């Protein structure tokens, strides 16, 4: 690197002559591609330059109620003054709602409306902040005290996050009242039988479905009364995570509500590092888990046309060291980008804790520091790339068309066991894995019946998808699907129409693989297949009957059904991952199903996933796969996971590693000067003759690094701080092969002006 030449700033007349506005220029069109959530007001150190700031809570975040904090309206205005579109987020299952619980709202105490365990303990999110049984009275409070005030502040997008009911909850008087109203018979303790567990969790699911439907319907109606089109979104963990962590939430059913406009997929290191079994070994598999989590969210909404934001978090709730955060952030970030049909992102939650929090400098030491500059630079390069991440019709390399069936009822069969080790005061990871009920010895360690159907495929480089049974009535659900893998070992169909949809697809040429012994205790729970004149011993019997199989309980084998086929494996899929090489028969059956008529082509196995989206390239190489070979790319790439933004002609990705690259050779017009990557967002970008200029904005106390494509090596590069003074820390270097200039300097939220002449 050589020191920056501090040349005189070009005159305005030179800059304006023949100038053109590029993709980075500010526009009068409101963009809502990138967003973040914050409970605080604007600050120089958290000015991350996404499109939208979601201001959290009328009363703020329950964990951040500092003296002297600004009012809600003042916090909103602080972000608007800095050019942000402002949306609103709050919790629907918890929040700063002390005025409701202590009687300030209606004169009555409501602490009895918290979620309660079998021991009579309230499940708390924080001091005087219980997880809520969402009664109709509470919903009226939310409408009056929160939603109305938000809309009166001129906000037209409302995010109600984490509709969560803990499976170990369900013993409060409020819940007992809801049970009586919903089922028409007295409450039954969920721990006394599998059926009671199923019924209790089904009610918890309904309560938050009702809650969001009522609150969002009110929001839209009140907005219309003020001439506003209010949009309503649900930030929520994935169905994979909630089922694994033993939490109940409405999930897929919300996508069909007319008052729900979309979701945020809350996937991050904290959810994805939940240990899983594969090949008999229990350990963290962050990339693979994140890939499945994002996939379950994408497939949940795609047939309904709802908008989906994908979330990642550069840290997580549980305090760890910076190296751990970085490694797992890269894994989850890569996983989200492997879904090219999603291009809207929550780039981070809680920037205050990311930029100002103190975390360990190494795994074995107690020294704590704020985010290292190399990591904040890398993170800002990554989130700025999201501002330009395109939608794409490209597909991951490999064999497509294999899907695994999911259902919201996955959450109904997870018997609540207590874990002594909470992740934080908000969530508890259920680490023990044993889901043994008092009435049965049936276990599903670490949600292995799900992972037994997915990890054996994903680990072989097959981009397996998930299919939500609730969406089987949509034509788009079946698009490009060749093989459907399903099991009722850990879920049940809540509607017989789902079977009609599946049977129709098979008869028209689809291939179904059913795995399971149908011996878990939830097979006989009170549901449609054994009530109102139906007497099936298991719900699969109804499906096999519709498929035209003579035996409603077919043995392991292959069966013809119309133009399609049915394969049956009479083994619960958990055994495919709980045992060493336990997935051999399963995989060979999937392979045969995929390659048999009416399907064509061989099933490709490998240890990697590769995808191109415009100039961006994503690679993930998995361990525990078919080989330990690295994945090598040759070309001309910028490494976006490296804070130095080096230009590489060869990139090698090893097992258990990921890569995020910018392909310089994919730039369509290399004669146009342009910023290809950077740790600041570019505004007022202009070209004029032999000059290129822009203003770069990013949080204070961070370093900027930018890789800029130019027609030729520059003669002068001028960097000017917001105070009009030359940047003392600025530097640059030229890379002749790629025709790119690497520029670095101290970031400022008010903007640093860069002028380049050649």
């Amino acid at each position: 690197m050589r020191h920056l030449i501090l040349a005189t700033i070009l005159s305005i007349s030179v800059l304006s002559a023949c100038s053109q506005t590029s993709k980075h220029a500010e526009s009068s069109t409101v963009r809502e591609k990138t967003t973040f959530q914050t409970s605080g007001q604007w600050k120089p150190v958290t000015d991350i330059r996404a499109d939208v700031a979601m201001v959290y809570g009328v009363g703020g975040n329950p964990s951040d109620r500092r003296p002297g904090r600004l009012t809600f309206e003042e916090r909103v205005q602080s972000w608007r003054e800095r050019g942000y579109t402002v949306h609103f987020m709050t919790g629907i299952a918890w929040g700063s709602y002390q005025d409701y619980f202590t009687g300030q709202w209606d004169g009555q105490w409501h602490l009895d409306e918290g979620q309660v365990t079998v021991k009579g303990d309230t499940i708390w999110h924080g001091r005087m902040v219980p997880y809520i049984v969402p009664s109709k009275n509470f919903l009226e409070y939310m409408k009056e005290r929160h939603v109305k005030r938000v809309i009166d502040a001129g906000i037209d997008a409302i995010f109600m996050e984490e509709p969560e009911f803990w499976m170990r909850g369900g013993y409060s008087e409020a819940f007992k009242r809801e049970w009586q109203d919903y089922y028409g018979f007295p409450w039954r303790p969920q721990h006394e039988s599998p059926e009671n567990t199923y019924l209790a969790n089904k009610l918890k699911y309904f309560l938050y479905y009702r809650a969001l439907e009522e609150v969002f319907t009110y929001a839209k109606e009140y907005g219309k009364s003020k001439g506003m089109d209010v949009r309503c979104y649900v930030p929520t963990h994935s169905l994979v995570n909630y089922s694994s962590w033993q939490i109940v939430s409405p999930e897929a059913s919300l996508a069909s509500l007319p008052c729900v406009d979309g979701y945020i997929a809350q996937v991050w290191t904290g959810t994805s590092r939940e240990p899983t079994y594969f090949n008999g070994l229990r350990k963290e598999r962050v990339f693979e888990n994140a890939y499945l989590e994002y996939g379950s969210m994408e497939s949940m909404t795609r047939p309904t046309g709802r908008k989906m934001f994908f979330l990642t978090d550069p840290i997580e709730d549980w305090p760890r060291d910076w190296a751990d955060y970085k490694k797992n952030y890269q894994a989850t970030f890569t996983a989200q980008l492997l879904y090219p049909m999603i291009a809207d992102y929550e780039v981070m939650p809680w920037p205050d804790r990311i930029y100002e929090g103190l975390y360990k400098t190494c795994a074995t030491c107690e020294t704590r520091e704020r985010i290292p500059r190399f990591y904040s630079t890398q993170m800002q390069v990554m989130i700025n790339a999201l501002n330009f991440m395109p939608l794409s019709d490209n597909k991951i390399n490999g064999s497509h068309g294999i899907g695994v069936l999911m259902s919201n009822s996955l959450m109904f069969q997870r018997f609540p066991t207590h874990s002594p080790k909470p992740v934080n005061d908000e969530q508890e990871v259920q680490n023990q894995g044993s889901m043994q009920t008092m009435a049965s010895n049936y276990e599903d360690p670490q949600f292995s019946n799900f992972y037994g159907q997915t990890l054996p495929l994903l680990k072989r480089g097959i981009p397996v998808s998930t299919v939500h049974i609730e969406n089987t009535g949509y034509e788009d659900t079946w698009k490009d699907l060749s093989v459907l893998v399903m099991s009722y070992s850990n879920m049940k169909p809540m509607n017989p129409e789902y079977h009609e949809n599946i049977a129709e697809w098979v008869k028209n040429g689809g291939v179904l693989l059913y795995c399971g012994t149908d011996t878990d205790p939830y097979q006989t729970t009170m549901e449609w297949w054994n009530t109102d004149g139906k007497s099936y011993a298991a719900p699969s019997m109804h499906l096999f009957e519709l498929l035209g199989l003579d035996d409603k309980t077919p043995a392991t084998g292959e069966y013809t059904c119309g133009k399609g086929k049915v394969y049956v494996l009479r083994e619960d899929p958990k055994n495919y991952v709980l045992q060493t090489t336990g997935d051999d028969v399963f995989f060979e059956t999937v392979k045969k199903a995929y390659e048999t008529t009416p399907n064509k082509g061989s099933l490709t196995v490998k240890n990697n996933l590769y995808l191109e989206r415009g100039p961006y390239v994503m690679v993930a190489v998995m361990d525990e796969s078919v080989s330990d070979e690295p994945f090598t790319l040759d070309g001309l790439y910028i490494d976006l996971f490296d804070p130095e933004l080096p230009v590489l002609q060869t990139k090698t990705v090893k097992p258990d590693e990921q890569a995020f690259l910018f392909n310089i050779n994919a730039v369509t017009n290399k004669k146009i000067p342009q910023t290809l990557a950077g740790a600041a967002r570019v505004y007022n970008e202009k070209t004029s003759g032999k000059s290129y200029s822009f203003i770069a904005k990013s949080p204070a106390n961070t370093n900027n690094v930018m890789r800029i494509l130019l027609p030729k090596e520059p003669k002068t590069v001028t960097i000017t701080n917001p105070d009009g003074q030359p940047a003392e820390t600025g530097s640059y270097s030229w890379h002749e092969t790629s025709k790119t200039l690497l520029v670095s300097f101290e970031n400022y939220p008010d903007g640093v002006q860069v002028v380049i002449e050649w």
Side-chain angles (χ1 to χ4, degrees):
M1 292 279 261
R2 53 193 165 121
H3 291 293
L4 174 70
I5 299 173
L6 301 177
T8 304
I9 301 174
L10 294 175
S11 68
I12 296 176
S13 60
V14 173
L15 286 175
S16 60
C18 303
S19 65
Q20 68 178 33
T21 302
S22 79
K23 65 178 182 180
H24 294 283
E26 293 180 286
S27 169
S28 59
T29 303
V30 176
R31 273 183 33 131
E32 295 181 355
K33 179 178 176 62
T34 54
T35 183
F36 65 97
Q37 67 192 65
T38 176
S39 61
Q41 68 269 29
W42 178 89
K43 290 183 293 186
V45 294
T46 56
D47 188 7
I48 66 172
R49 307 315 305 169
D51 298 325
V52 177
M54 294 182 288
V55 175
Y56 199 96
V58 166
N61 186 339
S63 63
D64 184 25
R65 295 192 296 271
R66 291 167 290 180
R69 86 184 274 113
L70 301 180
T71 67
F72 170 69
E73 288 77 10
E74 289 170 336
R75 285 183 286 138
V76 168
Q77 186 60 24
S78 74
W79 290 101
R80 283 177 172 162
E81 288 173 352
R82 287 288 171 162
Y84 286 88
T85 297
V86 177
H87 294 167
F88 172 73
M89 180 188 284
T90 195
I92 187 67
W94 51 268
S96 294
Y97 310 138
Q98 289 81 2
D99 55 337
Y100 177 74
F101 296 113
T102 59
Q104 298 175 47
W105 177 61
D106 62 357
Q108 299 181 40
W109 282 67
H110 296 288
L111 284 173
D112 65 331
E113 294 182 24
Q115 298 174 25
V116 174
T117 70
V118 66
K119 295 181 179 180
D121 300 325
T122 297
I123 303 174
W124 299 97
H125 182 275
R127 186 176 181 275
M128 295 298 289
V129 183
Y131 278 89
I132 297 159
V133 178
S135 67
K136 290 187 176 181
N137 191 56
F138 172 73
L139 300 181
E140 290 303 313
Y141 158 80
M142 287 295 293
K143 297 172 190 176
E144 180 182 315
R145 280 291 176 93
H146 297 267
V147 174
K148 183 177 183 297
R149 184 173 172 181
V150 168
I151 296 173
D152 287 344
I155 293 175
D156 64 358
I158 294 175
F159 292 73
M160 288 282 179
E161 76 159 333
E162 298 185 350
E164 298 173 347
F165 209 125
W166 287 93
M167 295 180 189
R168 59 191 174 89
Y171 294 87
S172 66
E173 293 303 315
F175 186 74
K176 293 176 183 178
R177 292 192 294 268
E178 296 288 356
W179 179 294
Q180 179 70 50
D181 290 343
Y182 185 73
Y183 286 117
F185 55 81
W187 170 79
R188 299 174 181 174
Q190 62 190 33
H191 65 273
E192 291 186 351
S193 73
E195 179 173 88
N196 289 358
T197 296
Y198 186 94
L199 295 177
N201 289 336
K202 185 177 180 180
L203 172 57
K204 296 167 189 175
Y205 169 91
F206 163 77
L207 290 176
Y208 274 108
Y209 178 93
R210 181 185 71 182
L212 289 168
E213 182 178 31
E214 289 198 14
V215 172
F216 283 166
T217 298
Y218 169 81
K220 287 183 175 290
E221 291 175 350
Y222 183 69
K224 286 181 180 178
S225 74
K226 303 198 69 172
M228 298 169 62
D229 179 18
V230 175
R231 292 158 296 146
C232 300
Y233 301 89
V234 185
T236 176
H237 298 205
S238 70
L239 178 56
V240 174
N241 176 254
Y242 276 150
S243 300
S244 183
W245 279 8
Q246 301 173 29
I247 299 173
V248 180
S249 189
E251 290 292 301
S253 62
L254 296 172
S256 297
L257 283 175
C259 59
V260 174
D261 294 286
Y263 292 82
I264 296 177
Q266 294 179 318
V267 180
W268 74 101
T269 301
T271 63
S272 299
R273 76 184 320 147
E274 177 69 3
T276 60
Y277 279 97
F278 179 70
N279 201 29
L281 178 64
R282 179 183 181 272
K283 72 169 190 175
E284 292 181 6
R285 296 174 172 88
V286 175
F287 168 76
E288 292 86 351
N289 214 356
Y291 180 84
L292 294 171
E293 285 199 70
Y294 286 119
S296 73
M297 296 297 289
E298 185 277 330
S299 65
M300 181 176 78
T301 52
R302 185 186 65 250
T304 68
R306 299 302 198 272
K307 184 170 183 175
M308 174 64 75
F309 295 87
F310 276 178
L311 163 74
T312 50
D313 190 344
I315 61 171
E316 61 164 306
D317 296 337
W318 189 253
R320 302 180 190 271
D321 64 281
W322 286 113
D324 182 284
Y325 290 150
K326 180 181 184 298
K327 173 180 172 59
N328 290 304
Y329 179 45
Q330 292 174 180
T332 56
F333 192 91
T334 304
Q336 75 167 348
L337 296 181
L338 290 173
Y339 289 92
M341 64 291 289
I342 302 294
D344 299 303
Y345 303 96
E346 180 176 352
V347 300
M348 68 176 69
W350 315 124
D352 300 77
R353 75 173 184 175
I354 293 169
Y355 285 99
E356 298 181 299
L358 299 174
Y359 301 95
K360 293 196 295 184
T361 56
C362 68
T364 58
C365 57
E366 292 304 319
T367 305
R368 286 173 166 79
E369 295 180 356
R370 289 189 176 180
I371 186 169
R373 290 227 175 181
F374 72 84
Y375 188 33
S376 61
T377 297
Q378 175 188 343
M379 177 183 69
Q380 287 160 198
V381 167
M382 292 162 65
I383 67 174
N384 274 297
L386 297 179
N387 286 310
F388 306 103
M389 185 60 57
L391 291 167
S392 176
D393 293 328
N394 290 349
K395 292 184 178 182
I396 298 172
N397 62 326
S399 300
H400 290 258
I402 300 175
V404 173
L405 195 66
M406 304 183 73
S407 170
N408 288 325
S409 63
L410 285 165
M411 298 176 287
F412 300 174
Q413 295 191 200
R414 305 289 288 163
F415 190 79
T417 57
H418 179 66
S419 170
K421 185 178 179 180
V423 171
N424 63 0
D425 61 358
E426 176 184 346
Q427 296 154 334
E428 290 190 3
V429 179
Q430 308 300 323
N431 291 319
Q432 303 306 312
S434 175
M435 307 306 153
Q436 182 174 353
T437 71
M438 292 185 178
S440 170
N441 290 323
Y442 189 86
E443 298 183 25
D444 185 9
Q446 296 300 127
F447 198 40
S448 292
N449 275 314
F450 170 76
Y451 291 109
Q453 300 172 76
T454 50
L455 284 180
L457 304 176
L458 183 56
K459 281 291 192 179
R460 290 174 169 88
I462 298 168
V464 61
S465 64
T466 51
V467 178
H468 287 256
I469 196 171
E470 290 83 4
N471 289 340
T472 53
Y474 292 97
E475 183 177 352
D476 185 71
T477 298
W478 304 105
K479 184 180 179 181
D480 300 325
L481 187 68
S482 300
V483 177
L484 179 64
V485 181
M486 67 176 291
S487 177
Y488 284 149
S489 59
N490 59 350
M491 68 181 193
K492 301 295 177 286
M494 290 189 286
N495 191 318
E497 292 181 2
Y498 304 152
H499 284 169
E500 296 173 7
N501 299 330
I502 295 171
E504 180 182 4
W505 173 76
V506 173
K507 291 176 181 178
N508 286 330
V511 179
L512 178 70
L513 171 55
Y514 186 88
C515 312
T517 59
D518 292 341
T519 58
D520 67 271
Y522 297 93
Q523 298 286 340
T524 57
T525 194
M526 185 179 67
E527 262 289 7
W528 61 265
W529 61 86
N530 54 32
T531 58
D532 296 329
K534 294 184 176 64
S535 57
Y536 298 101
S540 64
M541 296 174 66
H542 177 257
L543 173 61
F544 290 132
E545 182 179 71
L546 292 178
L547 288 167
L549 274 62
D550 295 333
D551 188 351
K552 297 178 186 177
T553 57
T556 294
E558 176 183 342
Y559 304 87
T560 299
C561 180
K563 297 179 181 178
K565 286 184 177 294
V566 176
Y567 292 83
V568 177
L569 291 178
R570 283 303 182 187
E571 185 173 14
D572 287 337
K574 63 183 180 180
N575 294 326
Y576 306 149
V577 291
L578 292 176
Q579 304 169 12
T580 303
T581 65
D583 62 0
D584 290 349
V585 173
F586 170 73
F587 177 72
E588 288 304 317
T589 306
V590 171
K591 186 175 186 297
K592 183 178 180 181
Y594 185 84
E595 296 177 351
T596 192
T597 306
N599 300 304
K600 297 179 180 179
S602 299
L603 186 64
T604 302
V605 296
K606 50 191 171 55
N607 70 347
N608 60 78
L609 300 177
Y610 173 91
L611 177 68
E612 298 176 2
R613 297 176 64 165
Y616 297 101
V617 176
M618 286 66 64
V619 183
V621 180
M622 289 166 286
D623 61 355
E624 307 173 297
S625 187
V626 296
S627 79
D628 292 326
E629 291 296 317
F631 189 96
T632 301
L633 297 96
D634 294 319
L636 203 58
Y637 300 98
I638 304 171
D639 191 338
L640 301 181
F641 280 164
D642 188 326
E644 298 296 327
L645 293 183
V647 175
L648 308 175
Q649 292 180 289
T650 299
K651 175 65 177 179
T652 300
V653 188
K654 299 176 182 178
D656 198 30
E657 291 183 352
Q658 303 82 35
F660 179 36
L661 309 169
F662 187 99
N663 183 3
I664 299 174
N665 290 331
V667 176
T668 54
N669 191 343
K670 293 186 175 64
K671 295 182 179 180
I672 298 178
Q674 53 194 288
T675 301
L676 304 181
R681 191 161 183 180
V682 169
Y683 297 86
N684 298 344
E685 188 180 21
K686 298 175 183 177
T687 59
S688 176
K690 295 183 178 181
S691 69
Y692 172 58
S693 67
F694 57 84
I695 294 175
K697 297 181 179 182
S698 213
N701 302 330
T702 65
N703 296 336
N704 185 30
V705 60
M706 312 185 88
R707 181 67 67 177
I708 302 168
L709 182 68
L710 297 171
K712 59 189 300 185
E713 184 175 2
K715 295 179 179 178
T716 60
V717 179
T718 304
I719 302 178
T720 308
N721 288 338
D723 60 3
Q725 298 300 310
E728 295 181 358
T729 61
S731 62
Y732 75 91
S733 65
W734 176 250
H735 189 268
E736 178 63 28
T737 302
S738 65
K739 301 293 184 184
T740 63
L741 181 74
L742 184 70
V743 178
S744 62
F745 50 84
E746 181 84 2
N747 275 318
Y748 290 92
D750 288 330
V752 174
Q753 186 179 47
V754 179
V755 180
I756 304 170
E757 291 182 281
W758 56 87

